[in-house]
Amino acid sequence: MTPLLWDQHTCLPLQVDADVSMLTRFQNPGDVFVSVNVGYAPHSRDDVDKLLAYDRAKISASDVMYLVSNVADIASQSGAGRIGVAFDLEDSGPLDMDLDNVHRFAELGVRTMLPTYNHANATGCGSLDVEDTGLTAWGRAITAEMNSAGMVPDGSHCSVRTGLDLCEISSKPVVYSHSCMRSVWDHPRNITDDQAIACAGTGGVIGITGVGIFLGPNTPTLDAMTQHIEYAANLVGVEHVGVSTDFSFDYEDFLAEVATNPQLFDENYTRWGPIQWMPPETFLRLGQHLKARGWGDHDVAAVLGGNFRRVAAQSWSTATPTGA
């Protein structure tokens, strides 16, 4: 039986006319879940509301995709060949400094959120900040609210100290939804061994991502991804390792984001030329690739989706169903 494939973070164009059907590139003989980004630092609550309304309507109308409210929804669709979809936020800015919006977004299917994206905001510091003062009091309040609302705290794009603080105060698992290992490739967006160990200590999962500049010198290959996966598994145990593509379905859209918001990026994003991503078609072959390296079926299934599914079962249970 083909194991569940769980992509913890992928990126449609952040526009209300995006072609949501591009997600069907993840289809394969087994069950598939993808978490789709619906906003980051420059976006307001209104922006995210519009994106969620658009994406939810398109997915609900699809014969191939369906909205995921809870883990039971995925089980109910097992074997149907459909793609389950929930959402994530890459910054807490869209909360508009209102804790009630954590619950609002959770009710609309946002199941994962980063406190900050690359640079400091009201919640804490980002991965590209020189000064790292960690999570603020507001960031701690948001973390507690996420625990209550059924939303998973995510340390990707955060600073080292902010990520460690998340793990220290969260009462439920913390994830790094799309982060590679800094000991394998020294990039400021990658996480340290200490961050990985702290994440595992919460029962969380590190989602090794397919972005070329985070895997190596712009190398979005299965070999490069596997090097990070195996390092993380040896460090914290295979039960705390997962995968994500962080795939940008509209390259031109990403270039526009970089041009529009240069303050959110630096030369670590551009020094190797145009960023290259691992496409879904390559990602779908990861299980075969791991088995060819001697991985057993149980461990392959855990990394491809079982581990993130476990976190969802532990964390989403408090969320109000989305009525999908």
Side-chain angles (χ1 to χ4, degrees), residues 235-246:
L235 178 69
V236 297
V238 71
E239 67 272 22
H240 299 294
V241 183
V243 286
S244 66
T245 58
D246 195 7

Side-chain angles (χ1 to χ4, degrees), residues 142-196:
I142 287 174
T143 305
E145 208 69 23
M146 284 194 281
N147 290 158
S148 171
M151 189 183 292
V152 180
D154 185 350
S156 291
H157 286 281
C158 295
S159 68
V160 172
R161 184 71 256 166
T162 297
L164 292 173
D165 288 347
L166 270 180
C167 293
E168 180 181 342
I169 70 166
S170 179
S171 62
K172 292 187 177 179
V174 172
V175 301
Y176 284 89
S177 65
H178 54 297
S179 293
C180 294
M181 302 302 298
R182 196 176 298 187
S183 289
V184 176
W185 176 245
D186 190 7
H187 191 287
R189 258 285 282 116
N190 291 344
I191 65 172
T192 66
D193 288 3
D194 286 345
Q195 287 173 278

Side-chain angles (χ1 to χ4, degrees), residues 205-226:
V205 176
I206 301 135
I208 301 301
T209 188
V211 179
I213 61 170
F214 304 149
L215 289 167
N218 227 352
T219 53
T221 66
L222 290 175
D223 283 336
M225 176 179 266
T226 299

